[in-house]
Amino acid sequence: MRRLLFAVFTVAISLAARAQGNVDTYVAVNDEQDANTFAVIICNENYKHEVPVPFALNDGAIFKRYLTKTLGVPEKNIKYVPDASLNDMNYNMKWLENVINVKDGQARAIVYYSGHGMPDDESKKAYLLPVDGYSLEPATSGISTEDFYKRLSAMKSRQTLVFLDACFSGSKREGGMMQQARGVAVREKKGPVQGNMVVFAATDAGQTAYPLKEKEHGLFTYCILEALQKSKGCITLGELSDIVTKKVDEVSTIENEKKQTPTITAATSLKDWRNWKMAEKEAKRFETMAKPQNQTAVPAASQPAQQLTTPSTQMPKPKRSFLKH
């Protein structure tokens, strides 16, 4: 009987430890609501004319989970847009502009994008590629980062945070070149960052944004999620920048034998952006949640997206399994 009880206890401990290490299912829950943050999450995985982006849908679904649960952003304040067309992307960006401007400097904007990025051969400008876009024609079927940043910087926001898990070299997330892309990587020209805006991008110029296959995420996104998990949301942009930059480069060098160096760019007028906090107060408890099943695209009109959580349970603090502060 003692052996049986010991075996059951050992299995329970093992399962608990495994749950604590999973950023998808073991999530800090903040009871404080942040009604003045609005977000657009675009995750493009299933391209019509290009190779897919592995785990992009999981990236977006779990990033949304952390916004609602760990940062306390209300569901109604988030537009979650999986496998977005060009019209979907423009429509939801316009929604964000409208709500931020009507708040007249009182609201924070968060934009997350996971998917393909492409440079234009002639202009070398960088483009975000919708699922109906063509890598050979990014200028006519995509959104340039120059225009993207210009629209965001024109908003009357208190703060604007942008997270881009994409590369703009013509590379696939899993390595190699996109089917329709050129045979060599192009060093793109990124748009200027102005206003109250800080941009976290997955790579430096000419690099590939790799996946972390065993975690089913983009490497860049995974490091952001784990930093939010371990800090229980109360982390400054400076701390987040230092952690993510170091870990992405370190893991990519070891796992992929290639550099991936995230870049963090702030408007030159911003002197205190490193002190901005993702959440003002840390979460006081954790929930175990069901892992999202196969994420599929839904029309923008069906917002908000499906609920991803299960009833909460009180659990111990997570172990530091991946990031080291």
Side-chain angles (χ1 to χ4, degrees), residues 4-260:
L4 178 61
L5 290 174
F6 179 77
V8 171
F9 178 76
T10 301
V11 169
I13 292 296
S14 176
L15 291 174
R18 187 181 304 173
Q20 292 175 37
N22 193 320
V23 299
D24 288 18
T25 59
Y26 189 68
V27 180
V29 177
N30 203 323
D31 293 325
E32 298 287 332
Q33 286 284 291
D34 182 1
N36 282 324
T37 291
F38 297 84
V40 171
I41 299 172
I42 296 170
C43 42
N44 291 343
E45 180 167 334
N46 300 303
Y47 280 80
K48 295 180 180 180
H49 313 295
E50 308 295 343
V51 294
V53 177
F55 316 126
L57 291 177
N58 196 44
D59 286 342
I62 302 304
F63 192 84
K64 177 178 182 287
R65 176 175 280 183
Y66 274 76
L67 288 191
T68 57
K69 293 298 181 180
T70 307
L71 304 187
V73 181
E75 287 266 355
K76 66 180 181 179
N77 288 17
I78 301 173
K79 293 293 186 181
Y80 168 65
V81 198
D83 285 342
S85 67
L86 182 59
N87 282 339
D88 291 333
M89 292 175 68
N90 280 319
Y91 176 87
N92 286 282
M93 289 303 299
K94 184 61 177 176
W95 168 83
L96 184 65
E97 291 173 275
N98 289 341
V99 295
I100 293 297
N101 287 338
V102 81
K103 296 290 286 187
D104 198 19
Q106 300 302 308
R108 175 175 67 167
I110 296 178
V111 178
Y112 173 87
Y113 175 83
S114 180
H116 280 313
M118 282 298 298
D120 179 60
D121 252 347
E122 295 182 5
S123 68
K124 303 299 185 290
K125 288 183 179 180
Y127 287 82
L128 304 178
L129 201 66
V131 292
D132 56 349
Y134 293 87
S135 62
L136 288 180
E137 293 291 341
T140 57
S141 62
I143 297 175
S144 74
T145 56
E146 182 177 355
D147 291 340
F148 185 66
Y149 295 158
K150 188 179 295 184
R151 291 176 65 175
L152 292 176
S153 63
M155 296 189 308
K156 300 176 182 178
S157 66
R158 174 170 52 87
Q159 299 171 358
T160 299
L161 310 182
V162 181
F163 299 91
L164 299 180
D165 197 342
C167 59
F168 299 92
S169 63
S171 301
K172 299 183 292 185
R173 173 174 271 191
E174 66 273 29
M177 300 303 294
M178 288 172 62
Q179 229 168 11
Q180 301 298 326
R182 294 143 304 280
V184 294
V186 177
R187 294 182 70 86
E188 78 286 356
K189 295 191 298 185
K190 297 177 181 177
V193 175
Q194 299 174 341
N196 296 325
M197 183 163 59
V198 179
V199 177
F200 281 64
T203 68
D204 199 354
Q207 295 179 340
T208 298
Y210 288 102
L212 191 59
K213 293 180 180 179
E214 65 270 26
K215 302 298 184 181
E216 299 183 347
H217 281 293
L219 172 57
F220 173 72
T221 294
Y222 182 83
C223 290
I224 290 172
L225 295 173
E226 193 170 47
L228 290 174
Q229 181 198 51
K230 294 184 183 307
S231 65
K232 292 174 278 189
C234 191
I235 186 171
T236 67
L237 292 195
E239 292 167 337
L240 185 63
S241 170
D242 294 343
I243 291 169
V244 171
T245 300
K246 181 178 185 299
K247 293 307 299 185
V248 169
D249 202 13
E250 176 183 307
V251 173
S252 185
T253 299
I254 295 171
E255 297 290 332
N256 305 312
E257 299 183 10
K258 292 184 179 179
K259 299 282 285 183
Q260 180 183 336

